[in-house]
Amino acid sequence: SQQGEEDPQALSIQEGENATMNCSYKTSINNLQWYRQNSGRGLVHLILIRSNEREKHSGRLRVTLDTSKKSSSLLITASRAADTASYFCATDAGDSNYQLIWGAGTKLIIKP
Amino acid sequence: SQTIHQWPATLVQPVGSPLSLECTVEGTSNPNLYWYRQAAGRGLQLLFYSVGIGQISSEVPQNLSASRPQDRQFILSSKKLLLSDSGFYLCAWSEGESSYNEQFFGPGTRLTVL
């Protein structure tokens, strides 16, 4: 079953603008991860944020986590055409140390 | 460094034919292994996962089966494909002892059943 829900489902912005994607989840988590998928390819891990962290940075990426609202956001600053991809959030499955529960993803298009 | 191989990249099969997709991981021992299916424009559906040789957990009842004959080999199979088996199949692995479960994905197999 899917726990994470990303919004928007699709986002189209101009190169250089910032892109913000959101993820909501339903149950308690230990960590939340964001992945990127280029069209027709496998997923690539971007960043992991633990439940006791509120914000994390990696290059042009900034992830926030609000456990009281059960939500996370991924901000990509100064977007580039190469950032065009689908972005997925995934949470641990709580009682399972092996599984991730995935959202449906946000399709991001950066217009040059 | 660790690498994951998945093949073939694309596959077109007739309804009722068998299927065998193979995934191998290099550079790690006793990984957790996963098979996912992704419908067009959708998220990932976990099909099977394995925490060790011969140990397979199925998440969704379906026309598919999985096997792990060796530590770093994971095979997805079907005896008779259905039209609904079409999709993008992804293999992934994670560290067996990690509590964070970051997953590393193969390039995927695009399966079209006609």
Side-chain angles (χ1 to χ4, degrees):
Chain A
S1 62
Q2 291 194 340
Q3 160 155 265
E5 295 183 4
E6 288 95 337
D7 79 271
Q9 291 186 338
L11 179 62
S12 180
I13 61 174
Q14 289 294 139
E15 192 169 22
E17 294 179 342
N18 295 340
T20 300
M21 291 159 275
N22 303 295
C23 169
S24 61
Y25 57 92
K26 298 174 183 174
T27 63
S28 297
I29 62 171
N30 295 311
N31 61 76
L32 184 145
Q33 305 179 45
W34 284 92
Y35 287 77
R36 165 195 166 126
Q37 183 182 32
N38 285 53
S39 180
R41 308 293 295 275
L43 282 75
V44 176
H45 181 263
L46 294 176
I47 197 166
L48 179 149
I49 187 165
R50 305 176 199 180
S51 60
N52 63 353
E53 297 176 309
R54 291 297 166 259
E55 187 170 311
K56 203 163 182 179
H57 297 255
S58 177
R60 292 184 295 113
L61 305 180
R62 182 171 78 100
V63 169
T64 62
L65 179 64
D66 187 334
T67 53
S68 66
K69 295 180 179 179
K70 292 186 169 59
S71 67
S72 173
S73 67
L74 170 67
L75 168 68
I76 303 175
T77 60
S79 63
R80 304 168 181 169
D83 294 328
T84 294
S86 291
Y87 292 82
F88 295 88
C89 69
T91 59
D92 59 283
D95 59 347
S96 170
N97 204 30
Y98 311 113
Q99 298 183 52
L100 294 176
I101 300 179
W102 298 85
T106 292
K107 186 168 185 177
L108 176 65
I109 297 173
I110 308 298
K111 296 177 284 186
Chain B
S1 65
Q2 302 91 352
T3 56
I4 179 169
H5 303 279
Q6 188 181 343
W7 66 92
T10 59
L11 191 60
V12 180
Q13 292 283 104
V15 169
S17 63
L19 172 73
S20 181
L21 302 181
E22 188 165 345
C23 172
T24 59
V25 181
E26 296 176 357
T28 187
S29 296
N30 196 30
N32 300 321
L33 295 172
Y34 308 83
W35 277 113
Y36 289 95
R37 178 167 57 202
Q38 185 179 31
R42 304 292 298 277
L44 301 179
Q45 179 187 35
L46 179 64
L47 301 175
F48 302 95
Y49 71 94
S50 171
V51 300
I53 295 175
Q55 299 179 60
I56 308 294
S57 295
S58 174
E59 289 300 301
V60 182
Q62 59 213 323
N63 186 41
L64 303 168
S65 62
S67 62
R68 185 171 177 173
Q70 299 181 46
D71 181 44
R72 290 167 289 178
Q73 184 184 30
F74 205 23
I75 297 173
L76 182 69
S77 303
S78 174
K79 292 182 179 178
K80 288 185 179 182
L81 284 169
L82 306 172
L83 286 174
S84 58
D85 291 324
S86 292
F88 190 51
Y89 289 83
L90 289 158
C91 180
W93 72 273
S94 66
E95 291 284 354
E97 299 302 320
S98 171
S99 61
Y100 294 121
N101 200 15
E102 174 184 344
Q103 295 186 8
F104 302 89
F105 285 80
T109 295
R110 174 79 56 193
L111 172 66
T112 303
V113 182
L114 301 175

